[in-house]
Amino acid sequence: MIRCVLAVMAVLATTVQANENIADQYPGSALYSAPVEFIPGVFSAIGATAPPTYENSGHNNNLSFIVTGEGVVVINGGGAYVLAAALHDEIKARTDEPVVLVINENGQGHAMLGNSYWAEQGVPIIAHEDAAAEFEDRGFQILEAMQGLNKEKAEGTYLQGPTETFSDDYIVELGDFRIEVRYLGPSHSAGDVVVWLPNQELVIAGDIAFHERMLPLFDDTNTLHWLDTWDTAFEPLNATYVIPGHGHPTNMDQVRLYTKGYLEYLRGKIAEHLEAGGGLAEAYYVDQSPYAHLDTFEELATKNAGRVYEQMEFE
């Protein structure tokens, strides 16, 4: 089975390319793309590898779900009520099993704003305590930004945090699935978690891992800590399959290249710049050409360089 799935993934890698210039791949649905089953029982609707827009309804991350045989587990509430409702329609078209749990991968809008829909369905929603605190602190700004983007498609969305939080791990066993929601340590944003399926050797990595698009660095993203979390906790999972937070499902080699590899490369360039006595103004333009083919490079590369400079200046 593993060889068969790997072969399918290899075909996907060569025939389905990310392209931030495609506004919508699934006309008639609020979702950017239709969910695809990548291994038996595990589906993901792949978001745009572009910034959130009105055209993609803010669906620029991956919305996944697991059909366990004893209920459906959804990973990410979605970036708006309309996206959560659209994902639920797709779930109901594939199984009669009810949704029994929603997992928020972090406290960002694309993970939590759709909680408003799931709460109305009476579904429990879990998140790491740091993610819940982040959403509580910044929720109004996150909601306001989404409303400005989505206009009438923002209808029905209101601030709804998780109904339960945890600090380290949250484990549930349903059907053939042992679902381990793990906080591995600091990475992209507050309270980032992964969903590890040890029996299937698959990790739904959330924003600890990116593929096909450039990762963004926030003001509070500590790249040194992210790299440490990668080496000490994420890499040792030794996952065969990786569904990243952004980009098509792939393997550890690919997310290592475009996440850990990019962070190490950029930190190396900024270190050279600092050693040469360079300032912030020039740091924005250090050479990042090896990653120029990634979607969102134009929007993010210079910002990322500036933020790494500001961090490393005082390390």
Side-chain angles (χ1 to χ4, degrees):
M1 190 272 282
I2 290 177
R3 288 182 179 177
C4 177
V5 175
L6 285 174
V8 171
M9 290 174 66
V11 171
L12 283 170
T14 57
T15 60
V16 182
Q17 297 296 322
N19 187 334
E20 64 182 329
N21 296 318
I22 300 174
D24 182 15
Q25 293 184 339
Y26 194 25
S29 170
L31 295 173
Y32 179 77
S33 66
V36 175
E37 187 173 21
F38 287 98
I39 69 168
V42 180
F43 297 75
S44 194
I46 307 304
T49 51
T53 64
Y54 178 81
E55 288 74 21
N56 63 38
S57 304
H59 180 200
N60 74 329
N61 68 320
N62 296 339
L63 303 178
S64 302
F65 59 91
I66 306 165
V67 181
T68 71
E70 296 181 359
V72 178
V73 175
V74 171
I75 297 88
N76 279 326
Y81 185 104
V82 67
L83 288 173
L87 184 68
H88 200 190
D89 286 343
E90 298 290 335
I91 293 169
K92 289 184 285 188
R94 289 161 174 78
T95 179
D96 293 332
E97 295 178 31
V99 175
V100 296
L101 182 67
V102 172
I103 300 165
N104 295 154
E105 70 182 14
N106 54 40
Q108 296 177 53
H110 61 48
M112 285 202 182
L113 285 176
N115 286 351
S116 49
Y117 172 83
W118 296 112
E120 288 186 2
Q121 314 310 307
V123 179
I125 304 164
I126 67 163
H128 188 267
E129 58 192 12
D130 291 347
E134 175 80 358
F135 190 70
E136 184 175 359
D137 182 55
R138 298 187 58 247
F140 178 77
Q141 298 98 305
I142 292 170
L143 177 61
E144 191 174 52
M146 187 280 294
Q147 290 170 332
L149 179 83
N150 265 350
K151 302 181 176 63
E152 79 284 353
K153 290 191 284 186
E155 184 178 351
T157 307
Y158 56 87
L159 295 178
Q160 169 67 56
T163 58
E164 182 178 350
T165 62
F166 63 95
S167 57
D168 295 311
D169 299 330
Y170 185 100
I171 298 172
V172 60
E173 297 199 33
L174 292 168
D176 295 329
F177 291 87
R178 176 179 172 88
I179 300 169
E180 301 181 1
V181 188
R182 293 189 181 183
Y183 176 70
L184 302 181
S187 55
H188 178 251
S189 63
D192 276 313
V193 297
V194 304
V195 178
W196 171 232
L197 308 180
N199 297 338
Q200 290 75 26
E201 299 179 5
L202 181 145
V203 63
I204 302 173
D207 281 353
I208 198 172
F210 283 69
H211 181 224
E212 299 174 325
R213 60 153 288 184
M214 176 158 280
L215 60 84
L217 298 176
F218 300 144
D219 288 336
D220 56 353
T221 303
N222 188 304
T223 56
L224 189 61
H225 291 170
W226 190 347
L227 287 169
D228 182 64
T229 297
W230 187 286
D231 289 339
T232 62
F234 184 66
E235 191 82 33
L237 292 174
N238 196 29
T240 299
Y241 317 109
V242 181
I243 299 179
H246 301 263
H248 286 87
T250 183
N251 54 47
M252 191 67 79
D253 287 345
Q254 290 297 301
V255 293
R256 185 187 304 115
L257 175 65
Y258 293 118
T259 308
K260 179 186 177 182
Y262 172 68
L263 293 172
E264 290 178 332
Y265 175 88
L266 182 55
R267 284 179 59 86
K269 286 296 181 181
I270 294 298
E272 292 173 3
H273 183 68
L274 283 165
E275 288 169 8
L280 176 60
E282 298 81 18
Y284 289 110
Y285 303 102
V286 297
D287 177 29
Q288 298 187 55
S289 58
Y291 297 90
H293 64 288
L294 293 175
D295 288 348
T296 66
F297 177 87
E298 294 296 329
E299 293 89 350
L300 297 173
T302 56
K303 294 177 183 177
N304 287 352
R307 284 172 177 155
V308 170
Y309 177 91
E310 290 171 342
Q311 289 177 9
M312 293 187 67
E313 188 178 17
F314 299 103
E315 283 183 357

